[in-house]
Amino acid sequence: MLHPGGSAAAEIAWLTWFLIAVCGGVFVAVMALTAAAVWRRSETADAGESAESAADSESRKPPPASPVSPLGAGFIIVAGAVIPALILTVILVLSVKAQVALAPPESDITIRVVGHQFWWEVEYPETGIVTANELIIPAGEPVRLELSAADVIHSLWAPNLNGKTDLLPDKVNIAWLESDSPGVYRAQCAEYCGVQHALMALRIVALPRDEYDAWSETSQASDPEPATEPQRRGRDVYFRTGCHNCHAIAHTAATGRRGPDLTHFGSRLTIAAGVVPNTPENLREWIANPQGMKPGNLMPHTELTRDELDALVDYLMSLD
Ligand code: CUA
């Protein structure tokens, strides 16, 4: 969050540094005054002790009350009330100003993001594109996000791009993101949502506008027909073993929505919401034993022969 990649994050980072500087300054000043008070107190005590030993015990009297502060009562009013009031007022004004700057701006693109245990569903209502665990946005323009949840409360946090916004089961929250330049940013679920909360990551990929348009175009096209025999067998395995009941692939009979949509799966960067890079080896391991890689996730174990697994991986990687 201290390396902002967009205007919203820059606003937050600036305010963060300002607060750290002000609070740091106040801390140092208070500690210095405390040290001075302790020093002065021990000096007075030393003086008192030596005076006592010289005098008779019968003339022992309480020491004279010391003044409230050697700097006078005015210092207490200024340092204890006026300066804190001024500092808090400045912080309040700057915080409200930042809050106003963080309000969602006008945007041409709206994306729906639904939080699931423990993955992200991403839908582009204007084009009908559905994907998962990856948010493709055009760089240099604000994108409006409609956030909700399918089960429990989640929270979307892309530290380089904006602050956190919760995803609630019964309400749509509006958030927005803008990336100054193309790049890949990591977002993370920021509200404890269950055993795999920590492994609920979202990749935000900001593309130059023309590449974004090209991506949008390709993503609306259907995945290619299986080109090889193993891929065709893989597709059979996909439908025979019931993968399609949870994982949709656009333009096919696979319409399940319980798990991540797998249309154009081969072009994804990661598997299992950011747990491992999307490679055939990792995909094989994931399907063979989903609970080994991400214990507690909702993907069931599917009994497959080695051949079936190879064919299924082949088919899924061909979806690009
Ligand atoms: Cu989803 Cu934490």
Side-chain angles (χ1 to χ4, degrees), residues 237 243 271 279-294 297 299-310 312-313 316:
V237 173
C243 305
I271 298 173
T279 64
E281 295 70 40
N282 287 336
L283 182 60
R284 189 172 289 114
E285 192 183 330
W286 167 247
I287 298 172
N289 184 13
Q291 298 305 318
M293 200 178 270
K294 193 171 172 180
N297 84 83
M299 170 127 158
H301 172 75
T302 311
E303 204 58 57
L304 295 172
T305 66
R306 203 188 166 78
D307 257 16
E308 286 173 329
L309 183 58
D310 287 346
L312 182 57
V313 168
L316 290 172

Side-chain angles (χ1 to χ4, degrees), residues 152-238:
V152 299
I153 300 177
H154 305 268
S155 184
L156 176 64
W157 189 28
N160 303 116
L161 300 180
N162 206 337
K164 299 172 187 174
T165 309
D166 278 3
L167 293 83
L168 308 175
D170 51 358
K171 184 179 184 295
V172 173
N173 273 345
I174 304 301
W176 66 286
L177 295 174
E178 180 174 2
S179 165
D180 289 338
S181 49
V184 180
Y185 303 93
R186 188 194 153 104
Q188 172 65 37
C189 182
E191 177 75 45
Y192 182 72
C193 54
V195 66
Q196 285 301 352
H197 155 71
L199 293 185
M200 184 170 165
L202 173 72
R203 287 287 185 289
I204 298 177
V205 183
L207 299 173
R209 183 68 207 214
D210 52 335
E211 281 180 35
Y212 173 81
D213 290 336
W215 168 83
S216 185
E217 197 80 2
T218 344
S219 298
Q220 289 171 69
S222 56
D223 275 313
E225 272 293 298
T228 66
E229 181 49 33
Q231 289 171 12
R232 266 189 290 278
R233 273 191 289 122
R235 183 174 62 181
D236 292 344
V237 173
Y238 190 84

Side-chain angles (χ1 to χ4, degrees), residues 2-312:
L2 297 176
H3 295 99
S7 58
E11 194 77 36
I12 295 169
W14 185 89
L15 188 62
T16 304
W17 282 121
F18 178 79
L19 289 175
I20 289 173
V22 169
C23 296
V26 168
F27 177 79
V28 169
V30 168
M31 286 302 120
L33 287 169
T34 306
V38 169
W39 179 253
R40 178 172 157 263
R41 165 80 194 159
S42 59
E43 272 187 344
T44 327
D46 287 350
E49 260 167 36
S50 47
E52 257 168 41
S53 59
D56 257 341
S57 57
E58 61 176 60
S59 63
R60 180 174 290 186
K61 283 183 200 154
S66 56
V68 189
S69 159
L71 303 171
F75 172 77
I76 292 182
I77 292 169
V78 171
V82 177
I83 292 178
L86 281 175
I87 290 175
L88 290 176
T89 307
V90 169
I91 289 174
L92 176 69
V93 168
L94 291 174
S95 301
V96 171
K97 193 179 145 281
Q99 196 137 24
V100 171
L102 291 175
E106 285 293 306
S107 165
D108 293 339
I109 297 173
T110 295
I111 306 173
R112 278 188 208 131
V113 179
V114 184
H116 294 257
Q117 285 172 319
F118 304 93
W119 59 281
W120 306 87
E121 181 183 350
V122 177
E123 185 185 355
Y124 297 73
E126 283 125 30
T127 53
I129 297 169
V130 179
T131 177
N133 303 326
E134 227 157 73
L135 191 63
I136 314 290
I137 61 171
E141 50 189 294
V143 170
R144 180 186 149 93
L145 301 179
E146 293 180 0
L147 307 177
S148 62
D151 33 47
V152 299
I153 300 177
H154 305 268
S155 184
L156 176 64
W157 189 28
N160 303 116
L161 300 180
N162 206 337
K164 299 172 187 174
T165 309
D166 278 3
L167 293 83
L168 308 175
D170 51 358
K171 184 179 184 295
V172 173
N173 273 345
I174 304 301
W176 66 286
L177 295 174
E178 180 174 2
S179 165
D180 289 338
S181 49
V184 180
Y185 303 93
R186 188 194 153 104
Q188 172 65 37
C189 182
E191 177 75 45
Y192 182 72
C193 54
V195 66
Q196 285 301 352
H197 155 71
L199 293 185
M200 184 170 165
L202 173 72
R203 287 287 185 289
I204 298 177
V205 183
L207 299 173
R209 183 68 207 214
D210 52 335
E211 281 180 35
Y212 173 81
D213 290 336
W215 168 83
S216 185
E217 197 80 2
T218 344
S219 298
Q220 289 171 69
S222 56
D223 275 313
E225 272 293 298
T228 66
E229 181 49 33
Q231 289 171 12
R232 266 189 290 278
R233 273 191 289 122
R235 183 174 62 181
D236 292 344
V237 173
Y238 190 84
F239 284 92
R240 203 176 60 239
T241 54
C243 305
H244 66 293
N245 290 327
C246 294
H247 298 284
I249 298 174
H251 312 283
T252 73
T255 52
R257 291 293 286 267
R258 261 175 73 75
D261 186 291
L262 298 182
T263 315
H264 301 286
F265 173 81
S267 63
R268 302 257 173 88
L269 298 173
T270 68
I271 298 173
V275 175
V276 286
N278 186 11
T279 64
E281 295 70 40
N282 287 336
L283 182 60
R284 189 172 289 114
E285 192 183 330
W286 167 247
I287 298 172
N289 184 13
Q291 298 305 318
M293 200 178 270
K294 193 171 172 180
N297 84 83
L298 300 183
M299 170 127 158
H301 172 75
T302 311
E303 204 58 57
L304 295 172
T305 66
R306 203 188 166 78
D307 257 16
E308 286 173 329
L309 183 58
D310 287 346
L312 182 57

